[in-house]
């Protein structure tokens, strides 16, 4: 299966509930089996399985339903009898952001072939002629918009096609007429951009004329990278402040945002990236407006220039496009660092901390969490777990690596799945044998289990899984105690009873014994020595009272550990 294709299982627990993503899988057959298993456990609900294919042109996933189980089904379309009604009614409306974005999406291939922009098309007669002469490009674009408009309307496709054709003809006629009447500005290349802005700002139709003047200036910039450089130059040549600067910067921002809305334009901005991780790092630097960040050092100069302008709060439209790309790239089913899993984990953690912990309206927290949860789920694939564990020195390090993975994954279901991996490993014969008869001393192996248990208790596993993991580590510790008789050795000899009690409790409080049965066993043995005849008589002496005070302190310390376990 291609890397940009995966399968998602959705669950709707009842009629009133919403559809929620249960799990994503790379393999079709595995996903189908999972869908049936989920439905078997939720007979009152519904399950839907979709195939998600990444669309490079739209930079998003396209869903194809494969399987539906339960009462919730797709409704069939009824015959449409309504009247088509477009949000754009005049050629001027086509210059609005939403309309330009639609033009970009339906003519992406044509624009990228010419390295042109929607704003240029709306203000350059030569591009209009090229589009009309291209054959079916314009016709197909109209059909795409008509089909999309009819999908959520009570009017049919033909009605929208008719309206769209009329609107297109009005827009083309306007451009041709403005060109023949010489209403489109044609300033000499030697004229400073600041002067052009001043002249246009003082007259009527300011936005239309400035966009046309900029389109004419960009005519000589044949590549998207050249257009970005030219736009940044325009901004640099404006006055430091004032209404004319703000007026021109708005249009520069709109033009630049159109450039980077194309894949080829974004590639020209970011430059060559060695992997998805580097792409995300550079996008994050742009979003933060940080031109001095290390991740952007090897990016093209125009990338740093845009980051500087974004940092000044001057390119909001570009920042919006960067945010959309950032979310889209996060959702791609590719590794951040294919060559190094440790680097993958480090970068994912850094990105999550930087983006999720600094909320911004352009990057909704719920969308970020969903993206990182999906990325976390891919870290839990068996082949990724095998890659993580293959360089472990011993079984104890395998447990340590898996516990460390919890800090790098997002989502309750993912943490639940990770806990299942750890549980399975703890229950394996290989792990049990190593901890019972490993090369290190029994106390060292017990101390390792205690450290693992503390890490589990500090983690963010679901409550049930956290308790089960802590208990499993404690149970393994009890096997070591029973096998090695380590507590019997502490009790052996002719030392005073309070010294034996102190030694046992010190093991429990100093991190040598897991909380639970292990610590309780040591505590019970200590109390027996404390209550013995020797312990009672020793407690009456001055030296014994000092020991007893220390013992009481350690018993108090054990109480919260027992509650945590």
């Amino acid at each position: 299966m291609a890397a940009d294709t995966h399968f998602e299982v959705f669950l709707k627990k009842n009629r009133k509930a919403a559809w929620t993503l249960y799990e994503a899988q790379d393999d079709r057959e595995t996903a189908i089996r999972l869908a049936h298993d989920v439905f078997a456990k939720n007979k009152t609900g519904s399950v839907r399985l979709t195939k998600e294919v990444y669309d490079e042109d739209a930079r998003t996933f396209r869903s194809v339903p494969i399987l539906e189980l339960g009462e919730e089904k797709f409704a069939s379309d009824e015959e449409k009898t309504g009247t088509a009604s477009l949000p754009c009614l005049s050629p001027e409306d086509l210059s609005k952001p939403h309309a330009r974005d639609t033009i970009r999406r339906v003519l992406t291939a044509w624009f990228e072939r010419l390295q042109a922009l929607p704003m240029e098309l709306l203000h350059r007669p030569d591009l209009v002629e090229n589009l009309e002469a291209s054959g079916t490009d314009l016709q197909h674009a109209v059909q795409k918009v008509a089909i999309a408009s009819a999908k959520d309307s009570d009017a049919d496709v033909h009605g929208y096609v008719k309206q769209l054709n009329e609107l297109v003809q009005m827009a083309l006629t306007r451009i041709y007429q403005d060109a023949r009447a010489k209403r489109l500005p044609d300033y000499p290349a030697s004229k400073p951009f600041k002067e052009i802005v001043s002249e246009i700002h003082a007259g009527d139709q300011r936005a239309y004329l400035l966009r046309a003047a900029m389109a004419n200036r960009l005519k000589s910039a044949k590549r998207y990278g050249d257009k970005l450089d030219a736009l940044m130059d325009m901004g640099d040549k404006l006055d430091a402040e004032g209404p004319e600067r703000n007026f021109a910067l708005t249009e520069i921002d709109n033009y630049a945002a159109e450039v980077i809305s194309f894949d080829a334009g974004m590639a020209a901005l970011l430059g060559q990236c060695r992997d998805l991780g580097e792409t995300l790092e550079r996008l994050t630097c742009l979003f933060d407006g940080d031109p001095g960040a290390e991740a952007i050092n090897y990016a093209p100069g125009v990338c740093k220039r845009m980051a500087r302008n974004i940092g000044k709060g001057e390119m909001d439209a570009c920042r919006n496009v960067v945010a959309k790309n950032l979310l889209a790239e996060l959702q791609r089913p590719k590794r951040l660092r294919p060559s190094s899993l440790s680097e993958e984990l480090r970068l994912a953690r850094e990105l999550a901390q930087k983006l999720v912990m600094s909320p911004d309206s352009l990057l909704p927290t719920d969308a970020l969490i969903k993206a990182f949860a999906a990325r976390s789920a891919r870290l839990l694939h068996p082949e990724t777990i095998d890659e993580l564990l293959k360089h472990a020195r011993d079984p104890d390090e395998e447990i340590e690596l898996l516990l460390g993975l919890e800090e790098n994954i997002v989502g309750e279901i993912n943490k639940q799945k990770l806990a299942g991996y750890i549980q399975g490993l703890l229950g394996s014969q290989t792990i049990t044998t190593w901890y019972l008869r490993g090369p290190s001393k029994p106390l060292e192996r017990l101390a390792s289990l205690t450290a693992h248990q503390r890490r589990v208790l500090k983690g963010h596993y679901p409550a049930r899984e956290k308790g089960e993991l802590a208990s499993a580590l404690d149970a393994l510790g009890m096997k070591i105690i029973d096998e090695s008789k380590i507590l019997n050795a502490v009790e052996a000899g002719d030392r005073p009873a309070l010294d034996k009690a102190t030694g046992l409790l010190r093991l429990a409080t100093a991190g040598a014994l897991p909380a639970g049965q292990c610590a309780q066993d040591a505590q019970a043995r200590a109390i027996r020595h404390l209550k013995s005849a020797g312990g009672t008589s020793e407690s009456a002496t001055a030296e014994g009272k000092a020991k007893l005070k220390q013992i009481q302190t350690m018993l108090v310390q054990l109480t919260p550990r027992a509650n945590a376990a």
Side-chain angles (χ1 to χ4, degrees):
M1 183 60 62
D4 284 354
T5 300
H6 65 279
F7 301 87
E8 294 184 353
V9 177
F10 292 86
L11 171 63
K12 187 172 185 179
K13 293 186 177 182
N14 52 62
R15 285 182 176 273
K16 294 184 179 180
W19 286 101
T20 58
L21 177 63
Y22 184 83
E23 191 170 320
Q25 292 284 341
D26 289 333
D27 180 68
R28 179 190 180 97
E29 296 303 319
T30 302
I32 291 175
R33 287 196 299 271
L34 176 62
H36 283 285
D37 291 342
V38 173
F39 181 63
K41 297 175 182 177
N42 297 270
K43 288 294 187 181
T44 60
S46 299
V47 174
R48 178 181 297 166
L49 173 63
T50 62
K51 178 181 178 181
E52 305 291 325
V53 182
Y54 189 75
D55 187 330
E56 291 287 351
D57 292 336
R59 297 179 70 81
T60 189
F61 281 95
R62 303 296 187 191
S63 297
V64 180
I66 293 178
L67 176 67
E68 291 181 306
L69 302 170
E71 296 182 4
E72 297 292 330
K73 304 288 183 181
F74 285 122
S76 57
D77 292 335
E78 298 178 356
E79 184 178 353
K80 298 182 176 182
T81 58
T83 302
S85 178
L86 291 171
C88 295
L89 301 176
S90 67
E92 289 81 4
D93 292 334
L94 294 178
S95 293
K96 294 178 180 178
H98 179 75
R100 296 200 317 271
D101 187 61
T102 299
I103 294 171
R104 175 189 62 80
R105 287 187 286 107
V106 298
L107 284 170
T108 294
W110 183 83
F111 279 121
E112 290 198 333
R113 189 164 63 247
L114 273 68
Q115 298 279 284
L117 306 172
M119 196 84 87
E120 289 182 291
L121 175 63
L122 295 172
H123 298 87
R124 278 177 52 185
D126 61 309
L127 285 178
V128 173
E129 290 177 4
N130 186 302
L131 179 60
E132 285 192 299
S134 65
T136 59
D137 285 313
L138 183 56
Q139 179 184 351
H140 287 170
V142 168
Q143 290 175 344
K144 288 178 183 178
V145 176
I147 292 171
S149 300
K151 182 179 179 181
D152 299 319
S153 168
D154 60 353
D156 60 18
V157 174
H158 298 294
Y160 281 103
V161 169
K162 181 180 178 181
Q163 278 204 5
L164 283 164
N165 280 328
E166 292 173 354
L167 178 60
V168 168
Q169 288 307 313
M170 284 192 292
L172 300 186
T173 299
R174 179 195 182 185
I175 296 172
Y176 285 137
Q177 288 178 344
D178 284 348
R180 285 195 296 269
K182 299 186 182 302
R183 286 192 290 266
L184 296 177
D186 185 15
Y187 294 100
S190 59
K191 191 175 186 68
F193 183 67
K194 181 174 68 172
E195 294 181 14
I196 294 174
V197 173
S198 295
E199 290 181 14
I200 292 176
H201 187 262
D204 298 328
Q205 292 187 306
R206 293 183 299 182
Y208 176 71
L209 292 177
L210 181 59
R211 291 168 183 169
M214 292 172 64
N216 190 53
R217 278 287 167 102
L218 292 176
K219 194 173 181 179
S220 60
K222 302 301 182 182
R223 311 295 298 176
Y224 282 142
D226 299 331
K227 293 183 189 295
L228 286 173
D229 277 319
L231 289 166
M232 295 300 107
D233 289 341
M234 291 178 191
D236 290 344
K237 293 172 182 177
L238 296 173
D239 289 332
E241 57 183 18
E244 292 180 5
R245 173 183 175 82
N246 296 335
F247 162 63
L249 278 178
T250 297
E251 301 307 329
I252 291 172
D253 186 21
N254 288 336
Y255 261 99
E258 283 194 353
V259 175
I260 63 176
S261 292
F262 292 100
D263 287 350
M266 183 59 76
L269 175 67
L270 297 180
Q272 185 68 34
C273 296
R274 68 180 185 271
D275 51 32
L276 178 58
E278 189 166 48
T279 298
L280 287 168
E281 285 182 308
R282 291 184 182 180
L283 284 170
T284 302
C285 292
L286 277 166
F287 184 76
D288 289 340
D290 185 5
E294 181 179 354
I296 213 172
N297 280 343
Y298 298 102
V302 70
C303 185
K304 298 179 183 180
R305 295 174 74 183
M306 182 176 287
R308 188 177 299 110
N309 289 342
I310 289 176
K312 295 177 183 178
E314 294 181 340
M315 303 195 80
D316 289 342
C318 286
R319 189 169 184 263
N320 195 354
V321 175
V322 170
K324 291 178 180 178
N325 274 265
L326 193 50
L327 272 177
E329 295 296 337
L330 274 174
Q331 293 168 357
R332 297 195 68 177
K334 288 185 177 181
R335 289 274 297 272
L336 302 181
R337 291 278 190 264
S339 60
S340 172
L341 182 57
S342 60
E343 279 297 298
E344 170 103 7
L345 297 175
R346 179 196 62 78
L347 180 56
R349 183 170 59 252
E350 286 183 2
L351 288 172
Q353 290 173 345
K354 180 175 288 187
L355 298 174
V356 178
M357 302 308 290
S358 301
D360 190 286
S361 60
L362 296 180
L363 291 175
T365 301
D366 56 346
L368 286 171
I369 291 175
K370 182 179 179 182
F372 279 109
R375 185 158 293 283
S376 296
R378 298 183 193 109
L379 292 175
L380 296 175
H381 289 173
E383 59 271 18
T384 308
I385 296 295
D386 291 341
E387 181 182 350
L388 176 69
L389 300 182
K390 67 181 180 181
H391 297 302
R393 296 187 301 270
D394 53 45
D396 185 65
E397 189 174 7
E398 290 184 8
I399 299 295
E400 184 178 351
L401 289 171
L402 282 178
L403 292 174
L405 189 57
E406 187 267 336
E407 300 171 1
N408 297 277
I409 62 175
V410 177
E412 184 172 322
I413 292 178
N414 292 328
K415 291 181 183 286
Q416 187 178 25
K417 189 173 182 179
L418 174 61
Y421 272 118
I422 302 172
Q423 282 268 48
L425 197 59
L426 288 173
S428 69
Q429 188 60 43
T430 301
I431 290 288
T432 301
T433 300
W434 189 90
Y435 276 106
L436 291 183
R437 305 179 187 90
S440 57
K441 296 179 180 179
L443 275 179
E444 293 175 345
R445 283 176 266 140
L446 281 167
S448 292
L449 289 176
T450 305
H452 296 333
Q453 188 191 57
R454 286 181 173 173
R455 194 168 189 175
V456 166
L457 293 173
K458 289 180 180 179
H460 296 87
Y461 300 93
R464 188 182 72 178
E465 281 70 21
K466 178 182 287 191
E468 290 175 349
L469 282 176
S471 296
L473 291 163
D474 178 42
L476 190 52
M478 279 303 300
K479 290 181 179 180
I480 297 175
I481 291 173
D482 293 340
E483 175 82 11
S484 64
K485 310 298 183 186
I486 186 68
L487 297 187
N488 292 348
V490 176
E491 294 180 290
D494 55 359
R495 291 183 302 153
L498 294 187
D499 287 349
K500 294 178 180 180
T502 300
L504 290 164
L505 292 175
R506 187 170 287 128
L507 288 176
T509 56
L513 299 178
Q517 294 181 12
C518 294
Q520 289 168 8
D521 187 13
Q523 183 177 353
R525 292 170 185 247
I527 291 175
R528 282 200 302 269
H529 287 292
L530 190 61
K531 293 182 177 181
S532 67
T536 302
S537 59
E538 189 180 354
S539 299
T541 66
E543 184 180 359
K545 289 179 181 179
K547 293 179 181 179
L548 186 60
K549 185 175 181 180
Q550 184 181 12
I551 289 172
Q552 289 172 338
T553 300
M554 288 189 285
L555 287 172
V556 172
Q557 291 174 357
L558 284 175
T559 303
R561 289 194 66 207
N563 294 336

